[in-house]
Amino acid sequence: MTNVRHGVLFGARAAMIAIALGALASCGGGNSGSFVGVGGGGGSGGGSPSGGNGLNQVAVTVDAGPAAAGGTVNTLYTSVTLCAPGSSTRCQTIDHVQVDTGSSGFRVLASALGSGLQSSDLPQATDAFGNPLDECVQFADGYSFGSVRSADLVIGNETAASIPVQVIGDPAAGAAPASCVQGPQENTVATFGANAILGIGNFLTDCGIACANAAIAGAYYDCPVTGTCTPVAQPVSGQLRNPVAAFAADNNGVVIDLPAVTAPGATVSGTLLFGIDTQSDNVLPASATIFTLDPNYGTLDTFFNGTSYPSSFFDTGSNGYFFTDDTIPTCTDQPAFYCPSAVENLQASVQGAAGTQAVLSFSVDNADADFATNAAALPNLAGPAGTGLQGAFDWGMPFFYGQPVYVAFESGAPAGVSGPWIGF
Amino acid sequence: MPRIASAALGGDEASIAADSNAMRGTLAAKPMQAYEVQEIAGPHGGVVREYADRRGRVFAVAWQGNRMPDLAQLLGTYYDRYLAAASLHRSGHHLVVLRAPDLVVSVVRYQRSAFGHAYLPGRVPAGVLPAELR
């Protein structure tokens, strides 16, 4: 594989302006109402959450990523300290951990360990047969395979004690079974684009009841010390856990708080806050709207250009807006992105499962020009999406610039509204 | 009609049966005017639809569920094109889109959803819009 570049190189702006749809914004689900989001500004500092004891926060950054990844764009990173369970000495702080609201669970590349902590310091999880438990994760752009191990995660000042994590590319796990292989292998920092991934999406575990009820290829594997790995059912309690949900407090959701970005920038600094309505710094503003999500998929509806896209989602793990507009040309050299000749100012409306709606404005500029700036933060980066069975509008990282976004976990009910939901 | 063991996209209708077997799914056919839709219900709640023209050639596949389908099985000879596009890691872990004059592929994997489609623009029957291929 040559010259793998995550999210490609680099690029100009118009903040995301969220416009209240007054009459429609209050048809259900609690804390609805109008909101006006946020333009202007720039630099660092972030939006509204403030105050509190500061212990439920960690700094997050958009930058070019780990050197091995060759330059990422619109990718959100933080640092996490990983320790052997109960230990304060067998620990390693890992930088460039991708912050991903599009998955749940902590996964670290084995090659990122080794300075303070070895993967063998982390107890290997076992399955119902007493055999080593390994896991396969299949993303859209490839697969990763590795061991499931127990670790303490310290993020900011909060600890997820002794939770199952995945060590991707762990030599002890060996090669991926054939039923895991799907697309390119992503077992290295270069191919994965980060030293680790911190999955803090709406779900408490990565797979849920489906993997408890059946042995599913491409998920958990029974890997006897001698012999081949075969898919195995895994109880929910032993699945990869959303680390924030495992905190002792501030564990019902997260807030992603990034400043507005009005032009391509080398870095963006912001804050990831733990909990919603648990401290004075993570209170959902009365002006915010809550959009409840499909409890099985984590998706909601977006209407754009007269078409409904019911499998839409908000995702820090996507580096642009991805949606279907055949009137905008894709770039000739990289058709994964749009290359309009002039900035396109567009609107779409989102609708939560409980009926709340809002109209969101966004801008699309020329991705080739964006990348030519070599900037890591590109506020108007966008590309085409497919329709699939249902169709999706992917509100990726550019959406998160300039307004705090509240991600409520399933099973909780922050602000009096049952999760999963997203609010801003 | 020759029996093709794999390769749904671009293959013939026998390849649909092969896909159904490989996915241990159940098949249901729904004839449309310009094409036939074969729906394969997978073992874990997912669904795959394969679209064949009047000559039985599969010009599109689409899927939706909690887990990824076997893309190598579904995309057949076009799988390598997806592999090349995915290897660029352009847009993060949750979305891969390939748009070429002869092939469109979209793969989405977000939280507990997995969906996408692939079609051959040159083989889509006249009058059929890609948006129908859901």
Side-chain angles (χ1 to χ4, degrees):
Chain A
M1 192 173 307
T2 59
N3 194 22
V4 173
R5 301 183 78 99
H6 281 266
V8 202
L9 353 218
F10 309 97
R13 148 2 125 308
M16 161 116 275
I17 299 188
I19 299 168
L21 221 208
L24 292 171
S26 52
C27 343
N31 207 338
S32 61
S34 62
F35 64 94
V36 178
V38 186
S44 62
S48 54
S50 61
N53 58 16
L55 297 178
N56 62 322
Q57 305 183 0
V58 67
V60 292
T61 306
V62 174
D63 64 17
T72 61
V73 296
N74 288 343
T75 305
L76 189 63
Y77 297 104
T78 191
S79 291
V80 172
T81 299
L82 194 61
C83 296
S87 176
S88 58
T89 54
R90 282 180 296 158
C91 294
Q92 182 178 338
T93 298
I94 298 159
D95 67 310
H96 285 107
V97 175
Q98 183 175 5
V99 177
D100 183 20
T101 63
S103 65
S104 290
F106 184 82
R107 308 168 196 278
V108 61
L109 279 292
S111 59
L113 298 175
S115 56
L117 184 73
Q118 314 291 332
S119 61
S120 56
D121 291 330
L122 305 176
Q124 164 81 51
T126 54
D127 62 19
F129 305 103
N131 292 324
L133 179 72
D134 292 344
E135 195 190 16
C136 171
V137 57
Q138 294 176 332
F139 288 120
D141 67 332
Y143 71 95
S144 302
F145 185 73
S147 57
V148 178
R149 294 176 180 272
S150 180
D152 290 353
L153 263 67
V154 183
I155 315 172
N157 286 286
E158 311 247 16
T159 300
S162 194
I163 61 166
V165 303
Q166 185 186 21
V167 180
I168 292 172
D170 185 350
S179 62
C180 171
V181 174
Q182 175 101 281
Q185 188 184 73
E186 301 184 307
N187 278 12
T188 64
V189 174
T191 52
F192 198 79
N195 290 323
I197 192 166
L198 175 64
I200 50 170
N202 300 92
F203 295 109
L204 302 186
T205 61
D206 64 342
C207 184
I209 195 71
C211 290
N213 288 343
I216 296 177
Y220 289 94
Y221 283 84
D222 170 75
C223 295
V225 176
T226 57
T228 56
C229 297
T230 52
V232 67
Q234 177 65 6
V236 172
S237 61
Q239 295 178 9
L240 252 62
R241 188 162 178 79
N242 182 326
V244 174
F247 290 165
D250 307 316
N251 54 18
N252 62 352
V254 296
V255 187
I256 311 288
D257 187 25
L258 302 174
V261 178
T262 54
T267 61
V268 172
S269 298
T271 307
L272 167 63
L273 299 102
F274 307 120
I276 297 174
D277 283 4
T278 62
Q279 306 279 351
S280 59
D281 62 3
N282 61 18
V283 175
L284 185 77
S287 59
T289 303
I290 288 175
F291 304 91
T292 52
L293 304 175
D294 182 301
N296 294 314
Y297 298 107
T299 52
L300 79 175
D301 212 343
T302 296
F303 300 91
F304 178 68
N305 272 356
T307 300
S308 166
Y309 296 94
S311 294
S312 299
F313 51 93
F314 293 86
D315 177 26
T316 63
S318 296
N319 62 12
Y321 302 106
F322 295 97
F323 62 101
T324 301
D325 185 340
D326 290 333
T327 69
I328 307 177
T330 55
C331 311
T332 51
D333 54 336
Q334 43 193 358
F337 294 100
Y338 285 132
C339 271
S341 54
V343 174
E344 300 261 3
N345 296 306
L346 304 170
Q347 287 189 332
S349 65
V350 295
Q351 178 173 315
T356 53
Q357 293 189 356
V359 174
L360 307 178
S361 296
F362 60 102
S363 297
V364 175
D365 64 12
N366 187 297
D368 281 345
D370 282 344
F371 297 143
T373 67
N374 281 339
L378 304 173
N380 297 330
L381 184 65
T387 57
L389 283 184
Q390 293 261 308
F393 192 120
D394 178 354
W395 298 91
M397 270 296 286
F399 174 80
F400 289 79
Y401 296 140
Q403 64 193 324
V405 178
Y406 294 70
V407 178
F409 300 158
E410 63 173 340
S411 84
V417 178
S418 296
W421 54 256
I422 190 158
F424 47 81
Chain B
M1 191 174 285
R3 288 284 181 260
I4 298 173
S6 63
L9 190 63
D12 63 18
E13 282 177 304
S15 74
I16 298 177
D19 280 355
S20 178
N21 282 336
M23 291 181 255
R24 292 191 288 272
T26 52
L27 259 178
K30 184 165 48 166
M32 310 289 277
Q33 279 194 327
Y35 56 87
E36 182 172 71
V37 186
Q38 303 264 14
E39 187 163 300
I40 305 169
H44 304 299
V47 63
V48 169
R49 295 196 185 125
E50 308 199 349
Y51 301 79
D53 64 19
R54 303 307 266 171
R55 296 164 57 189
R57 294 190 307 186
V58 178
F59 63 89
V61 296
W63 62 91
Q64 176 104 23
N66 292 116
R67 312 287 311 173
M68 293 277 279
D70 184 340
L71 292 180
Q73 177 80 29
L74 273 185
L75 301 181
T77 56
Y78 296 92
Y79 176 73
D80 286 347
R81 303 270 300 274
Y82 154 75
L83 199 59
S87 298
L88 299 174
H89 304 290
R90 293 289 200 221
S91 34
H93 292 306
H94 302 303
L95 177 86
V96 170
V97 173
L98 162 62
R99 297 224 299 194
D102 64 328
L103 176 66
V104 173
V105 179
S106 167
V107 180
V108 178
R109 182 81 178 90
Y110 169 78
Q111 296 214 86
R112 290 186 183 162
S113 54
F115 53 93
H117 70 172
Y119 64 93
L120 306 171
R123 294 199 192 172
V124 176
V128 176
L129 298 172
E132 289 179 40
L133 307 176
R134 297 184 163 200

